Amino acid sequence: MSTGPALHILGCGRAARAVARRLLADGYLRPGLVANRSLDSARRAVEFIGAGEPVAQLDERIAGGWLMLGLPDGLLAPASLPQLPAALSLVFHLSGSAEAGVLRSLGERVASVHPVRAFSDPALATKNFAGTWCVAEGDEAALDRLQPVFERAGGRWLPFAATDKAAWHAATVTASNFLVTIHALAVRLARQAGLPEEQAGRVLADLQQGTLESVAALGSPQALTGPVERGDVEACRRLMQAAENAGGDDRALFANLAQATLALARQKRGARSNDASLKDLFT
């Protein structure tokens, strides 16, 4: 039987469900109370996690345990946080944008642990959690206790001194959410070319995966390739014609991405005489 603290949960959306399932699977932490938007949603969360007691609200049984908050960022503000019925030994949240300090009213040891993984499918995220970077900041005493728990769950621990959490969150949104937006644009262009959507999605996702492997190995801008990087004006002219045919919003998005890619290409290979022509194409 576990001798570790109980893990209580307030707010158990997709990320919290996946993280809780991994943390509790190790057996060190004991399952505790789970409070969500409603008692019914708390029951569904417990069913997914495989442990815990669903409750309408936290009660005195949280005393001495740990509390994980999976609340939306808008509720992670001192004025929005609830008063707790008992003292906890450690409190942490999973937000990428809010600092650990917003939890100061809830406990003496507070932390933020942001698992850098997409949680659109909690079951898939749970399965693939091993190797996930867990970027953490907060009180040293809290981080020291959380690190081994997350590492046993398969996470890679990365503490940092937060100077601008909003910038960090913007970085992860750019790397993950905007990648999905770009994939959707690519699929629309492939459909315009005549490729069925399902096939296009698979082919382009494989291409993106290979590109990400190059980025991991070489970094940017060294991983950049293609007609913009080569300075191929005629090929880029055809690209912009395809974007024109796609319509206003897609044309604007493609042009903005092409301009940013041109700037990155100049970092890699320096300025070229045809850069002005390319810039004009992408306006």
Side-chain angles (χ1 to χ4, degrees):
M1 180 177 293
S2 171
T3 58
L7 178 66
H8 307 290
I9 304 169
L10 177 59
C12 203
R14 291 173 294 188
R17 293 180 190 205
V19 171
R21 186 166 170 173
R22 290 294 301 224
L23 294 183
L24 290 170
D26 172 68
Y28 169 70
L29 296 176
R30 293 181 289 113
L33 307 183
V34 178
N36 208 18
R37 293 184 302 273
S38 66
L39 183 56
D40 186 55
S41 65
R43 290 187 179 117
R44 291 196 299 271
V46 166
E47 182 179 357
F48 177 86
I49 296 167
E53 180 182 343
V55 294
Q57 59 184 19
L58 301 177
D59 58 41
E60 291 81 0
R61 289 176 289 172
I62 67 171
W66 291 9
L67 177 64
M68 181 176 75
L69 289 92
L71 297 171
D73 288 5
L75 297 180
L76 288 174
S80 302
L81 294 173
Q83 290 187 338
L84 297 177
L88 295 147
S89 64
L90 188 153
V91 184
F92 67 101
H93 67 65
L94 303 176
S95 168
S97 63
E99 295 184 4
V102 301
L103 304 177
R104 188 61 64 195
S105 64
L106 301 183
E108 294 182 4
R109 298 188 185 98
V110 299
S112 164
V113 183
H114 181 217
V116 186
R117 175 164 294 281
F119 289 97
S120 53
D121 182 340
L124 184 62
T126 302
K127 177 182 176 182
N128 296 332
F129 190 81
T132 296
W133 288 104
C134 298
V135 181
E137 54 92 13
D139 297 336
E140 184 176 354
L143 298 178
D144 286 346
R145 299 192 70 185
L146 287 165
Q147 179 175 354
V149 173
F150 272 86
E151 288 181 338
R152 284 195 295 266
R156 287 188 285 179
W157 192 255
L158 178 62
F160 83 125
T163 56
D164 189 343
K165 284 294 288 288
W168 165 245
H169 197 213
T172 60
V173 166
T174 301
S176 180
N177 300 165
F178 292 174
L179 181 64
V180 177
T181 301
I182 291 171
H183 182 265
L185 170 63
V187 169
R188 290 194 294 273
L189 290 168
R191 288 180 59 194
Q192 178 179 308
L195 197 64
E197 182 173 353
E198 183 177 351
Q199 291 179 332
R202 290 199 302 268
V203 171
L204 295 168
D206 285 348
L207 175 60
Q208 286 180 302
Q209 183 62 49
T211 301
L212 289 174
E213 290 171 359
S214 295
V215 170
L218 304 174
S220 58
Q222 293 306 313
L224 187 64
T225 186
V228 179
E229 186 271 339
R230 294 193 303 271
D232 189 333
V233 176
E234 287 308 311
C236 289
R237 196 183 310 278
R238 290 192 291 272
L239 294 178
M240 285 308 301
Q241 183 58 57
E244 291 280 358
N245 295 338
D249 289 344
D250 282 351
R251 193 268 179 206
L253 177 56
F254 190 94
N256 287 334
L257 290 168
Q259 290 180 47
T261 302
L262 178 60
L264 193 63
R266 296 185 67 174
Q267 293 180 39
K268 178 181 178 181
R269 46 122 172 114
R272 289 180 176 174
S273 58
N274 58 1
D275 281 356
S277 297
L278 289 172
K279 188 174 181 179
D280 288 341
L281 273 178
F282 300 149
T283 56

